[in-house]
Each structure stands twice: as structure tokens, then as C-alpha cells.
């Protein structure tokens, strides 16, 4: 999964980690504390950040089961198991036991915690401020901090890493000023491939057959069959930054930006990167519709999903390169200039999509097999990011 860097995060209080041990309180649907549910385990938790904490919802009923108080701007990603969510704070990565509604003492300290990547049986953390990479089997989180693989880049940068099934580690190259490409290391840490043909490298996704895609300002850099392959845009600046992949498809879904001078571009087209043919296709959104970096996901059959500013969830056939459905979910919206500010966000687990609607403090649940909304809840605070655990089914 691919996210912008953590520069500009609102500073946490120095006591935030101390609060983690005692700052968790359980709430009912209305937001009022409920002692009877304080030890209840949440069914398929969905985590939603707000300014000052995290709400944990029951994935089926959408009731607010727990509220975890945590000052500042916090980011969340799946930890890779059926109970955990990884929280990015000013102090580093910290594991939230979402099922129990409690922050654990499992931490990966470091300034500017960045991308969290799930692939196969590995969860990989990249800390921008230190260049440290931590890769581990998330099933081990149940027993404490897992013993995992560690790597440190030559220089800190806003980067990303992914570990493949054979132990190959693909990791970005860069400094604070420039990010030109990536290297691949074998399971013993020996460099086996390198490419510096990916200016502004950002974000990753993995397609069918363990092909890795890295976004560039001029297309995508693939790692396949032990080597890097460049897939160029059809213009000098055709930037891909956020991508999502699926084991069910050789095609990656990515954003596509065409204005190098924009303070913030609101893209009205997206990219489909065919990793089998090493080709990139640009597809327009409906006229006047754009999307944000929190808008992209994949469905259970590998279909592409984009939450548009028209309030609809657009369903994409990645092979044909066409939009096949557009399901109404939220009211029309505009993307804010600051990426940290709330806007409708999308999280998909199995055949269910969860969508936030900050304007009315709601979270909606949509059945991807029918395109129908099957539940909504109003939260006590404005939702920002949304994520969750892996499905137990």
C-alpha cells in the first residue's frame, strides 16, 4: 500500500507513548464509555483516526467498540494479522491491538515512520528519518515483538521496501533531496540488481506473479524475474505515485499526474500498468471527476476501485481498461490542499468496502458483490484515515 511521506505531521506530545499504556478507553456507539465492553474483543476491527485518537469499529455492525486516545496526527495501516493495526506516530511505529482496543508496547522507534507494506507472510516497515527497514512475520505479533530481518539504506529518505517469497528485498534508493531508483538484495543481503531510472521513486505495489511496481515521475519501475524493467509514461512528466496491486491480476492500478508545476494536482485520469506486457495505459475519469491518494483499492476479483469526487465508487476492469460501474456512496466532495486533512477515504477487506464521509462524521459499509450500502454509522469525531485488520474468514 502507498502513502505520502510523514513530513509535516502535527507533533505529538512527548508523552504520547506513555499515554499509550494508559490512554485507551472503550466506548459504545454513542461515544460514551461503556465499562461492560472494556474487555470485549472486536469482530474484524476497522480503525478510524480522528484528531486526538483512534476509533475502533466492529467490522460488521460498525458500532464504535473502543476509543484509543492518542494526541496528534496519527496514521494507520494493517499489521498483517487478524488483530493488529500499525500506528505511525511522531515517535515511530507502534502496534495497536485493535481487537482489544489497546496500544501494545511493541514499537519500532524512529523519526518519520513512513510506508507499511504487506506481501505474502511479511510485513515491512520503512522509517524515513533513519532509512531503517524492518521485515517480520506478523503472526509473531501475538507473542510480542517478532524477530525479523533488518536493513538500513545508505542514506535516510522517503522510501519503501517489499520482501518477496524467496527472500528478495526490493528497496528504494535516495537521499532527502533526490530519489533516483531502487536496488534488490537476495535473502543474504547481497545486491543482485539496481536501477536509477526512476526519478522521484515513490510507493509500491505487487501484481500477480510477485512483480513489484515502483512509481516514478516518468512511469513505473518494475522488478520481475530478478531484474528491473522501466515502463515509461507517454509524456516527459507522467507521474505515478500511489499504486495498488492484486494477486488476481497482472495489472497494477495507479494514480497519474501530468502537471509538474502544480502545488497539488487533482488527477482526472489514472494508470493501468500491465506487468506482463510492460505497458502503461492512461484512462480518463468521467468528466470533472478526480480522486485522492486515499481513493484507490482493489476488489476481491482483482477489479480496480477508485472513490471519485463525485461521491461514487468507480469499478474498473483492469484488463479491458474500462470503468464498468459507478456506485453512489457519499456526497460530492473536494480534495483539500493539505494531504493531512480529512477527505473521503477507502479501505477494502475481502468483498467489503469501508468509506469515510468526514463532512457528516460517518463511515459507510458497501457490499462489493452488489454495489449496495449495507450499513452506516455516525462517529463522535471527524474521521480521517481508515484501515483495519486482515479478515479472519
Amino acid at each position: 500500500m502507498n502513502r505520502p511521506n510523514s513530513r509535516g505531521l502535527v507533533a505529538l506530545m512527548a508523552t504520547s507513548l506513555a499515554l499509550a499504556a494508559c490512554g485507551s478507553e472503550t466506548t459504545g456507539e454513542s461515544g460514551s464509555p461503556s465499562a461492560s465492553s472494556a474487555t470485549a474483543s472486536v469482530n474484524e476491527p476497522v480503525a478510524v483516526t480522528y484528531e486526538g485518537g483512534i476509533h475502533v469499529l466492529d467490522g460488521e455492525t460498525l458500532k464504535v467498540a473502543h476509543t484509543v486516545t492518542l494526541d496528534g496526527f496519527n496514521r494507520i495501516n494493517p499489521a498483517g494479522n487478524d488483530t493488529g493495526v500499525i500506528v505511525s506516530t511522531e515517535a515511530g511505529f507502534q502496534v495497536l491491538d485493535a481487537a482489544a482496543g489497546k496500544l501494545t508496547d511493541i514499537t519500532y522507534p524512529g523519526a518519520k515512520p513512513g510506508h507499511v507494506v504487506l506481501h505474502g507472510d511479511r510485513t515491512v516497515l520503512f522509517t524515513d528519518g533513519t532509512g531503517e527497514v524492518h521485515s517480520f512475520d506478523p503472526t509473531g505479533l501475538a507473542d510480542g515483538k517478532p524477530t525479523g530481518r533488518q536493513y538500513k539504506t545508505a542514506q535516510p529518505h522517503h522510501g519503501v521496501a517489499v520482501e518477496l517469497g524467496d527472500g528478495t528485498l526490493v528497496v528504494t534508493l535516495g537521499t532527502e533531496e533526490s530519489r533516483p531508483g531502487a536496488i534488490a538484495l537476495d535473502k543474504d543481503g547481497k545486491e543482485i540488481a539496481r536501477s536509477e531510472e526512476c526519478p522521484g521513486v515513490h510507493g509500491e505495489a505487487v501484481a500477480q506473479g510477485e512483480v513489484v511496481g515502483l512509481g516514478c515521475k516518468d512511469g513505473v519501475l518494475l522488478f520481475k524475474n530478478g531484474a528491473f524493467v522501466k515502463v515509461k509514461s507517454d509524456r516527459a512528466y507522467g507521474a505515478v505515485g500511489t499504486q495498488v496491486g492484486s494477486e488476481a491480476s497482472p495489472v497494477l492500478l495507479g494514480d497519474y499526474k501530468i502537471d509538474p508545476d502544480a502545488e497539488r494536482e487533482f488527477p482526472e485520469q489514472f494508470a493501468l500498468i500491465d506487468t506482463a506486457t510492460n505497458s502503461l495505459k492512461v484512462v480518463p475519469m468521467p468528466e470533472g471527476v478526480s480522486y485522492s491518494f486515499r481513493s484507490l483499492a482493489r476488489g476481491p476479483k482483482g477489479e480496480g476501485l477508485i472513490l471519485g469526487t463525485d461521491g461514487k465508487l468507480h469499478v474498473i476492469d483492469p484488463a479491458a481498461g474500462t470503468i464498468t460501474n459507478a456506485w453512489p456512496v457519499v456526497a460530492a466532495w473536494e480534495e483539500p490542499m493539505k494531504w493531512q486533512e480529512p477527505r473521503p477515504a477507502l479501505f477494502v477487506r475481502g468483498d467489503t468496502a469501508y468509506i469515510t464521509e468526514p463532512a457528516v462524521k460517518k463511515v459507510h459499509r458497501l457490499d462489493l458483490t452488489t454495489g449496495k450500502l449495507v450499513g452506516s454509522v455516525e462517529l463522535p469525531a471527524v474521521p480521517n484515515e481508515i484501515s483495519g485488520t486482515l479478515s479472519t474468514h
Side-chain angles (χ1 to χ4, degrees):
M1 308 193 82
N2 315 295
R3 298 159 178 87
N5 80 24
S6 53
R7 293 182 178 88
L9 293 181
V10 178
L12 287 177
M13 294 174 60
T15 56
S16 62
L17 287 181
L19 287 171
C22 59
S24 174
E25 97 179 353
T26 303
T27 64
E29 186 174 12
S30 65
S32 58
S34 173
S36 63
S37 61
T39 58
S41 180
V42 186
N43 186 39
E44 299 199 343
V46 173
V48 181
T49 66
Y50 65 93
E51 187 176 352
I54 302 168
H55 291 308
V56 180
L57 315 183
D58 183 296
E60 294 185 357
T61 67
L62 295 185
K63 290 184 178 179
V64 178
H66 303 295
T67 293
V68 179
T69 303
L70 188 62
D71 290 336
F73 177 78
N74 305 293
R75 313 207 66 201
I76 49 175
N77 292 277
N81 62 4
D82 62 2
T83 58
V85 171
I86 291 178
V87 184
S88 302
T89 74
E90 187 74 7
F93 295 106
Q94 185 168 11
V95 177
L96 167 69
D97 183 340
K102 296 180 179 179
L103 280 159
T104 72
D105 59 1
I106 302 172
T107 62
Y108 295 84
K112 301 176 182 177
H115 286 258
V116 177
V117 174
L118 307 185
H119 175 66
D121 63 357
R122 308 301 288 179
T123 296
V124 183
L125 314 179
F126 192 104
T127 303
D128 294 350
T130 64
E132 292 178 320
V133 176
H134 293 274
S135 175
F136 55 86
D137 182 343
T139 60
L141 291 171
D143 302 315
K145 189 172 183 177
T147 300
R149 180 177 183 177
Q150 297 181 40
Y151 174 77
K152 190 170 185 178
T153 60
Q155 295 189 60
H157 64 279
H158 176 51
V160 68
V162 57
E163 185 170 348
L164 303 180
D166 64 359
T168 299
L169 185 71
V170 179
V171 59
T172 52
L173 291 168
T175 67
E176 289 188 357
E177 292 75 34
S178 173
R179 304 192 304 273
I183 60 174
L185 311 169
D186 68 14
K187 60 182 176 59
D188 299 315
K190 178 183 177 182
E191 184 177 320
I192 56 174
R194 172 182 290 251
S195 173
E196 298 188 23
E197 294 184 89
C198 188
V201 61
H202 179 272
E204 61 69 49
V206 183
Q208 188 178 68
E210 285 205 313
V211 180
V212 179
L214 301 169
C216 317
K217 290 183 178 179
D218 59 355
V220 173
L221 184 66
L222 302 180
F223 181 78
K224 55 187 290 190
N225 301 322
F228 286 105
V229 178
K230 182 60 182 282
V231 179
K232 297 207 69 159
S233 303
D234 60 356
R235 55 176 68 213
Y237 183 86
V240 178
T242 299
Q243 297 176 79
V244 284
S246 169
E247 294 180 357
S249 172
V251 181
L252 299 172
L253 169 66
D255 61 0
Y256 195 76
K257 297 182 178 181
I258 58 178
D259 184 358
D261 300 318
E263 180 181 352
R264 174 163 297 282
E265 184 173 350
F266 307 104
E268 296 187 357
Q269 61 284 314
F270 57 91
L272 294 171
I273 304 97
D274 190 327
T275 64
T277 61
N278 302 335
S279 60
L280 186 153
K281 180 178 183 178
V282 180
V283 181
M285 291 289 288
E287 186 175 357
V289 178
S290 63
Y291 57 91
S292 86
F293 70 94
R294 292 185 181 141
S295 292
L296 306 182
R298 299 299 285 265
K301 298 180 181 179
E303 63 270 36
L305 301 169
I306 298 181
L307 181 62
T309 53
D310 57 354
K312 297 177 181 178
L313 186 63
H314 298 263
V315 183
I316 298 145
D317 180 334
T322 57
I323 297 175
T324 59
N325 273 304
W327 297 323
V329 184
V330 300
W333 54 281
E334 294 183 359
E335 182 179 0
M337 288 298 293
K338 293 184 179 180
W339 69 262
Q340 299 96 330
E341 292 181 358
R343 81 290 309 276
L346 172 66
F347 169 64
V348 172
R349 182 171 56 198
D351 58 8
T352 301
Y354 299 91
I355 301 102
T356 66
E357 189 169 9
V360 291
K361 298 183 181 179
K362 287 186 176 182
V363 172
H364 307 285
R365 182 173 180 241
L366 183 140
D367 185 338
L368 291 171
T369 63
T370 64
K372 303 295 185 182
L373 286 175
V374 292
S376 298
V377 66
E378 184 175 347
L379 301 179
V382 175
N384 196 339
E385 292 203 350
I386 184 167
S387 188
T389 62
L390 295 190
S391 177
T392 56
H393 295 331

